[in-house]
Amino acid sequence: MSTSLARHARWRREWLGVSTALALLALLLGVGSWTWRLDQAAYDTGLSLWSRPAPNDIVLVTIDEASLRQLGQWPWPRALHATVIQQINQAQPKAILLDLLLSEPSPDPEQDQVLAQAIQQSGKVVLPLTFEALPQRLVRELQPVPALRESAHLAHADAELDVDGTLRWAALHAGIAPGRHPHMALALLQVAGEPMHASIQAQPAPSSVMGSPVWRRDDRVLVRYLGPPGTVKQVSFAAVLRGEVPSNVFKGRYVLIGASAIGLGDWYQTPVSGLSQAMPAVEITANLLQMLRTGDWVRPTPPLVVGLVSAGLILGLMFAYIRLSPNQALLATVLSALGVALASCVLLSAGLWFAPTTYMLTALLAYPVWSWRRLETTKDFLDAEILRLAATTEPPSPEPPDQRVPRDQVERRIAAIQSANVRLQQARQLLVNTLKAMPEAVLVVDGRGQVRQANPQLGTLLDVVDLDTVTGQSLDALLALWMPTDAPRWAMLLERALAEERVIITEVHGPQDQHVLARIAPLPSAVGQAPWLVLCLADITPIRLIEQQRDDLLGFIAHDIRSPQASLISLVQLQHMTSAAMPPEEVLEHVDMLARSTLALCDELLQIMRAEKHPIYQQSTDVTQVAEQALKEVDLQARVKDITLVKDWPTEWTPVLSLDRSLVRRALINLLNNAVKFSPKGSEVRLQLRPQPGYWVIAVIDQGPGIPPAELKKLFRRYERLEGSTHGRITAGVGLGLVFIDTVARRHGGRVQVHSETGQGSCFELWLPSPTPP
């Protein structure tokens, strides 16, 4: 297995192990409700965010501080309570709760009778009962005195507090087993003949208070509070007693009478109470009563569901970690935790409570745990890679003497990675420099034929300015105009090189008659890695041109040198025939002519080879002196044909140029010889010297037959014959002299130009560069 596959396999194992452990942790926290303290805090916060409007048909008659000041010290005579009940009962309320624990008889028995009579007349009064803890872990019920108990509806007033002293739950039924009493709120509904809302489903699991007999709490529900204390409408007990409250305030309503004065009644901390404000028990009963009537209750999510949902969310978060960067993973963790908390609050507003802290804690734990395992795996991988790089790369330049070795493990590995990175950069730069220094065009191609890297020589060969446009192209598209001779497509050559595991060599024809030698070599690759190939393109166009010149030379020699030799053989054969034998003088004349023709041809070849291959010896030379020497050389040949040689430049001119005196003189002689040779008798040949910007121009002007325009392009081609000359201007083989002249001009940095018209003569110009302005 390759290093990459092994690394990925280890990552997968690490991810699977961490994900499974975190999911199981979330499941256990949810099922065991181990985060109940945090969940309670989240529940209180969420419940306090969503207030409900106060009910119109529930009224609290509170025994407040103002009533105590007006009516005197507590406890009051029970006849006062009877009077208030009678006044309220006249308004025909739905039910009345007298939330006072009247388990002790009054000092005046008549007071109990008066109150019992008022309760009996109403028939809608609910009185509370509760339990009392006795020594030896015993309990007993505290019920109203018998006179009151017989005339009222009894209900329990037990308050089930959580560990933090907050009242969140209410037991709809409680009592000493097997007896059961309804809660005061439920008893009010029963007295009013109003059923509890059908959607409310209390938890069947009972709770109990230690004792024998046992006080049992059953049918527990979460109390859905309407709002902070004071949300339910309240009137003062003293105001009712004085008749200051209109009767319509109580008509058709639930009336709950209870203490709200500090130190007098039962006050409890609730989820909506805030930090320092408690809620009286009578108002808590009013909140529960409204919840039972409307069905606007809170359904707690079972712990198993909380655990399963949290575990699923954790697995989703772990899946996200695979594709996210560390910063993104941290952001996703925080956002998901906040999102679950927000979703829990939204669900709570809809009456469904989902404990969010199980997922939030596990998610906040997931990021450091996963980061720790990822760092450990990364550390092991980096250690292995550092060792591998140290074994496969050259050591870097020595560190300065004062360089300190880091003591921290992370810093030490960073330093090792930096050192390895320096070696890799050096190796990469060496590879880049090597590719740049190679004389050939080089491409690196993958197994699919896509170009991955190229050197600047490729841009020169293909005339591509930006090499970045080459990367990513297919080889067939890039070299569409460069056709290999051994296959119709480059992809076939790549496949052959990979299949045969050897270097493929082929010649390629370019778009402008270019010739390239291509070598395709597969690179060694490990098992499971994609194959790579190197393509080298060497421009052999000059070699093919030289080969063509060689073939032309051989053909030229076979034709132009063979002709004089064949003539010599024919002359010998004629001499052996007595009837056709020529006089010796005539034979010698023919032999001399043929020998001189062959010698002139060889001399021209030698001149061209010397001008092309041998170094030129430049020295400061007076151009007029070279021109005059060339005229003297041709003077005798011109006199034979009665041709006048004219020197056309001012006598005071003495242009001095840096040139090879011998080569330039020979070039001028060749031009003058050609002009004399093809000029008619009695004409003139003019040798002209004139300045041009950056040059001195030596022109040979004749009055010969001229050269057709179609033949001008062939003048300086090696071994080219002009077939279209009707005036005999150039015969076979004479092109060598013009090639020599062109070679001399080019090697001096100049050029040759020809101006000619048929029947108007010709002008051959030799342009020689001048270092100073003429």
Side-chain angles (χ1 to χ4, degrees):
M1 181 181 293
S2 66
T3 304
S4 178
L5 293 177
R7 184 172 71 252
H8 285 300
R10 180 171 180 180
W11 276 103
R12 287 195 296 269
R13 291 195 301 269
E14 289 285 345
W15 178 86
L16 183 61
V18 173
S19 301
T20 303
L22 291 172
L24 288 176
L25 176 62
L27 181 62
L28 292 176
L29 289 177
V31 173
S33 300
W34 290 356
T35 59
W36 59 269
R37 288 185 180 271
L38 297 175
D39 289 330
Q40 286 179 348
Y43 174 81
D44 295 349
T45 302
L47 195 63
S48 62
L49 296 176
W50 308 102
S51 298
R52 295 292 190 274
N56 294 324
D57 54 354
I58 298 179
V59 179
L60 300 182
V61 177
T62 59
I63 303 173
D64 52 7
E65 284 80 358
S67 299
L68 291 177
R69 288 194 298 269
Q70 296 176 18
L71 299 180
Q73 186 178 1
W74 185 265
W76 298 331
R78 293 180 181 177
L80 295 179
H81 302 303
T83 302
V84 169
I85 292 175
Q86 290 173 352
Q87 291 180 0
I88 295 173
N89 191 57
Q90 291 176 1
Q92 298 181 353
K94 289 184 177 181
I96 301 173
L97 170 65
L98 182 59
D99 189 11
L100 299 175
L101 187 59
L102 305 175
S103 59
E104 297 293 334
S106 175
D108 183 2
E110 292 183 2
Q111 296 286 330
D112 291 336
Q113 293 297 328
V114 172
L115 178 58
Q117 185 178 4
I119 293 174
Q120 186 176 9
Q121 290 176 353
S122 172
K124 302 178 180 180
V125 178
V126 176
L127 291 180
L129 61 85
T130 185
F131 72 93
E132 179 185 19
L134 301 176
Q136 299 180 356
R137 304 172 64 85
L138 300 177
V139 295
R140 68 183 181 90
E141 282 188 352
L142 294 178
Q143 296 187 3
V145 295
L148 301 178
R149 182 172 61 242
E150 294 174 357
S151 58
H153 299 274
L154 298 183
H156 79 84
D158 183 18
E160 181 181 355
L161 302 179
D162 289 331
V163 177
D164 59 352
T166 303
L167 199 155
R168 299 182 181 89
W169 295 85
L172 297 184
H173 295 90
I176 294 179
R180 284 159 52 97
H181 301 281
H183 191 279
M184 293 182 294
L186 183 59
L188 287 171
L189 288 178
Q190 294 173 354
V191 170
E194 185 176 348
M196 183 177 67
H197 200 278
S199 64
I200 296 179
Q201 299 176 358
Q203 291 189 358
S207 61
S208 62
V209 178
M210 296 291 294
S212 178
V214 178
W215 178 270
R216 299 177 63 88
R217 299 175 180 139
D218 203 355
D219 298 334
R220 302 168 67 242
V221 293
L222 281 170
V223 180
R224 184 64 176 269
Y225 289 92
L226 298 172
T231 301
V232 182
K233 182 179 180 180
Q234 300 181 12
V235 294
S236 175
F237 186 93
V240 175
L241 186 63
R242 292 194 302 269
E244 297 175 356
V245 179
S247 61
N248 59 359
V249 173
F250 306 115
K251 184 176 180 62
R253 288 176 170 82
Y254 291 94
V255 180
L256 285 69
I257 305 171
S260 65
I262 300 299
L264 182 59
D266 295 330
W267 289 75
Y268 298 100
Q269 186 71 22
T270 65
V272 296
S273 297
L275 297 178
S276 60
Q277 185 180 10
M279 182 179 292
V282 65
E283 188 172 0
I284 295 175
T285 304
N287 280 269
L288 180 59
L289 173 62
Q290 178 67 7
M291 185 188 82
L292 297 178
R293 297 174 59 224
T294 61
D296 188 10
W297 68 303
V298 178
R299 296 175 293 277
T301 304
L304 178 60
V305 176
V306 173
L308 292 175
V309 172
S310 300
L313 293 176
I314 286 295
L315 291 178
L317 181 62
M318 295 303 296
F319 271 111
Y321 282 172
I322 299 176
R323 296 169 175 82
L324 299 178
S325 66
N327 289 337
Q328 293 173 339
L330 177 59
L331 182 61
T333 302
V334 175
L335 291 180
S336 66
L338 295 178
V340 169
L342 180 61
S344 177
C345 291
V346 174
L347 291 175
L348 183 58
S349 69
L352 178 63
W353 167 239
F354 177 85
T357 57
T358 295
Y359 171 76
M360 295 175 67
L361 284 180
T362 312
L364 296 177
L365 180 65
Y367 183 78
V369 170
W370 172 240
S371 299
W372 162 60
R373 290 312 309 162
R374 184 159 52 180
L375 284 175
E376 284 293 322
T377 306
T378 303
K379 177 185 72 65
D380 296 341
F381 167 73
L382 290 179
D383 290 342
E385 288 297 307
I386 291 171
L387 294 176
R388 188 174 65 85
L389 290 174
T392 57
T393 58
E394 293 294 332
S397 303
E399 299 289 343
D402 58 348
Q403 186 75 19
R404 296 182 179 180
V405 177
R407 295 184 178 180
D408 183 74
Q409 291 188 2
V410 176
E411 292 184 1
R412 191 180 303 124
R413 287 178 174 83
I414 291 175
I417 292 173
Q418 289 176 340
S419 177
N421 185 43
V422 170
R423 295 196 294 269
L424 285 177
Q425 289 181 351
Q426 292 174 349
R428 183 181 182 277
Q429 190 61 43
L430 177 61
L431 174 61
V432 172
N433 294 337
T434 302
L435 288 178
K436 290 181 178 180
M438 294 184 67
E440 302 175 346
V442 180
L443 299 94
V444 180
V445 187
D446 60 20
R448 299 178 300 172
Q450 303 290 325
V451 178
R452 296 304 179 189
Q453 195 170 0
N455 65 348
Q457 285 74 5
L458 178 70
T460 303
L461 180 64
L462 303 183
D463 194 19
V464 176
V465 178
D466 189 4
L467 284 179
D468 293 337
T469 60
V470 173
T471 305
Q473 290 192 44
S474 67
L475 192 62
D476 284 325
L478 181 63
L479 302 179
L481 301 178
W482 300 74
M483 300 304 299
T485 57
D486 294 339
R489 293 187 302 109
W490 286 96
M492 299 177 65
L493 294 176
L494 299 180
E495 293 175 359
R496 187 190 307 172
L498 292 174
E500 300 178 4
E501 297 182 353
R502 66 180 182 88
V503 179
I504 302 297
I505 302 176
T506 183
E507 186 169 342
V508 181
H509 297 291
Q512 298 177 355
D513 199 22
Q514 296 167 284
H515 296 270
V516 173
L517 186 65
R519 289 175 294 175
I520 305 175
L523 295 175
S525 59
V527 178
Q529 291 183 348
W532 292 75
L533 303 98
V534 174
L535 172 61
C536 299
L537 301 174
D539 189 1
I540 58 173
T541 302
I543 299 177
R544 290 291 180 259
L545 181 59
I546 293 174
E547 291 178 351
Q548 182 64 39
Q549 293 176 353
R550 179 197 63 190
D551 295 340
D552 293 343
L553 175 60
L554 292 176
F556 172 79
I557 293 175
H559 184 276
D560 287 40
I561 296 184
R562 180 178 178 275
S563 296
Q565 307 308 314
S567 298
L568 285 173
I569 294 174
S570 300
L571 183 61
V572 172
Q573 290 176 351
L574 287 174
Q575 289 302 106
H576 286 299
M577 300 171 61
T578 56
S579 59
M582 292 185 295
E585 294 80 3
E586 188 178 353
V587 171
L588 290 176
E589 182 181 354
H590 282 289
V591 171
D592 180 71
M593 181 190 66
L594 294 174
R596 287 181 182 277
S597 176
T598 302
L599 183 61
L601 187 61
C602 293
D603 186 53
E604 287 182 346
L605 287 173
L606 290 175
Q607 289 180 14
I608 294 175
M609 292 177 62
R610 178 176 178 271
E612 287 184 341
K613 305 300 181 183
H614 293 187
I616 61 175
Y617 301 97
Q618 292 180 298
Q619 55 185 344
S620 298
T621 304
D622 187 349
V623 179
T624 59
Q625 294 180 0
V626 177
E628 290 175 352
Q629 291 175 1
L631 286 173
K632 291 179 181 179
E633 187 81 18
V634 186
D635 182 66
L636 183 59
Q637 180 183 350
R639 290 182 181 182
V640 171
K641 294 189 65 175
D642 193 21
I643 294 176
T644 303
L645 297 179
V646 179
K647 181 175 66 173
D648 186 7
W649 66 81
T651 56
E652 67 273 10
W653 280 6
T654 57
V656 178
L657 301 179
S658 178
L659 48 81
D660 189 315
R661 184 188 189 98
S662 174
L663 289 179
V664 173
R665 183 176 64 84
R666 172 55 59 185
L668 294 179
I669 291 173
N670 285 356
L671 287 176
L672 290 170
N673 278 333
N674 281 341
V676 170
K677 182 178 181 180
F678 297 105
S679 294
K681 288 184 178 182
S683 62
E684 70 175 24
V685 173
R686 182 180 300 275
L687 182 61
Q688 185 184 76
L689 181 63
R690 67 178 187 271
Q692 291 291 341
Y695 293 90
W696 279 95
V697 180
I698 306 174
V700 176
I701 307 170
D702 63 44
Q703 296 175 346
I707 304 172
E711 305 294 338
L712 287 177
K713 296 181 179 180
K714 301 181 180 180
L715 285 178
F716 300 102
R717 295 181 185 174
R718 193 185 299 264
Y719 320 123
E720 190 74 44
R721 295 174 174 83
L722 304 187
E723 306 295 343
S725 178
T726 58
H727 298 78
R729 175 70 176 90
I730 299 179
T731 59
V734 77
L736 287 177
L738 297 180
V739 171
F740 170 76
I741 297 167
D742 179 64
T743 303
V744 171
R746 284 187 292 103
R747 296 209 65 184
H748 281 82
R751 62 182 183 273
V752 176
Q753 291 183 355
V754 182
H755 307 282
S756 180
E757 294 182 11
T758 305
Q760 300 296 324
S762 302
C763 176
F764 286 80
E765 296 176 349
L766 178 61
W767 291 58
L768 297 175
S770 174
T772 57

